[in-house]
Amino acid sequence: MNKTLIGLVLAGGQSRRMGQDKALMRYQGSTLIEHASSLLKAAGCDEVLISRNAPNFLNDKIDDAGPLGGVHAALDVLCNSNAGKGSAIELLVLPVDMPQMTPQLLKTLVSAGREAQRSVYVKNRFLPFYLSVMHNTNAMLTHYLVEQNERRVVGFLESLEAIALEEANLARPKRVNGVQEKQNEKITRMDEAQWLNVNTPGDWPDDI
């Protein structure tokens, strides 16, 4: 069965701590929305959707649902449009405010998910994540948000029995013989940088 990998940028936050709409702030010459979209495309997404409560974007259908509100809106649209077409849907979800995330890590999530045919996230990180969309995934998320009134991303992923990858086991660059200690320090800095979440002006990365 053919699979369609859809990227979803979560850009619906209110940016109160940033003091301005961070989704429209510029990083390396592009808005954060454009940058996140490029990361998802580089990770192999066939199409990218933008969850953002504004005209011409994907709007939440459940109020105050947090990140999962955007996922729910995307699933609602995708499952309805895909009905009867016979192709499976996969969703790769990335927040707009993680500008130093890498396509390599996103590809790791997708690869692990496809191999296990299950949803995947990184333990203690939760976002971004890969969602293996089944026929009942949208109904399960609706129940989680409406009937259970839950909002935790990890809680929903656990309900799907998603795989939690150990961060220490993720693919890393090759070490250089003779300078192993310095190389390890460089790897640690690089690994941590990709998880940067910009919520305040003080969080903003230096390499803008």
Side-chain angles (χ1 to χ4, degrees):
M1 179 180 290
N2 294 328
K3 289 188 175 182
T4 302
L5 180 61
I6 305 294
L8 177 63
V9 178
L10 299 177
Q14 298 185 21
S15 306
R16 290 193 184 96
R17 285 181 287 170
M18 184 62 73
Q20 60 179 299
D21 189 346
K22 61 184 174 183
L24 300 181
M25 294 176 69
R26 304 194 77 81
Y27 176 76
Q28 296 182 346
S30 303
T31 66
L32 287 189
I33 286 179
E34 293 167 342
H35 183 72
S37 299
S38 296
L39 287 174
L40 289 168
K41 290 176 182 176
C45 290
D46 301 297
E47 181 183 351
V48 175
L49 303 177
I50 312 294
S51 167
R52 180 172 168 79
N53 291 313
N56 302 317
F57 291 98
L58 188 64
N59 287 211
D60 291 356
K61 298 188 176 184
I62 299 176
D63 293 335
D64 302 318
L68 290 177
V71 177
H72 172 268
L75 288 178
D76 193 66
V77 169
L78 292 170
C79 290
N80 287 332
S81 64
N82 198 59
K85 293 185 178 179
S87 61
I89 297 172
E90 309 165 294
L91 204 60
L92 185 57
V93 182
L94 175 67
V96 75
D97 53 8
M98 298 183 74
Q100 295 186 316
M101 180 49 58
T102 64
Q104 290 75 19
L105 189 141
L106 296 173
K107 288 178 180 179
T108 297
L109 295 177
V110 174
S111 178
R114 286 177 172 173
E115 182 177 352
Q117 297 186 17
R118 288 163 64 185
S119 299
V120 177
Y121 65 101
V122 177
K123 187 176 180 180
N124 297 325
R125 297 293 188 177
F126 314 135
L127 285 163
F129 65 83
Y130 165 85
L131 189 65
S132 180
V133 181
M134 306 300 180
H135 71 279
N136 62 340
T137 304
N138 192 28
M140 290 179 65
L141 180 54
T142 301
H143 179 78
Y144 183 79
L145 294 173
V146 177
E147 303 300 328
Q148 296 181 257
N149 198 31
E150 292 283 355
R151 297 292 183 265
R152 295 171 57 247
V153 173
V154 68
F156 177 63
L157 291 171
E158 288 174 347
S159 74
L160 297 177
E161 299 183 348
I163 296 171
L165 298 179
E166 293 287 346
E167 191 172 343
N169 295 334
L170 297 177
R172 296 171 181 233
K174 294 180 180 179
R175 297 177 182 178
V176 179
N177 293 331
V179 289
Q180 199 166 35
E181 184 176 347
K182 290 184 179 180
Q183 184 71 2
N184 286 343
E185 291 176 358
K186 181 179 179 182
I187 290 171
T188 300
R189 288 196 301 271
M190 183 199 71
D191 287 351
E192 192 59 33
Q194 67 187 344
W195 298 107
L196 175 68
N197 185 267
V198 290
N199 289 310
T200 71
D203 296 332
W204 200 251
D206 295 330
D207 57 338
I208 60 174

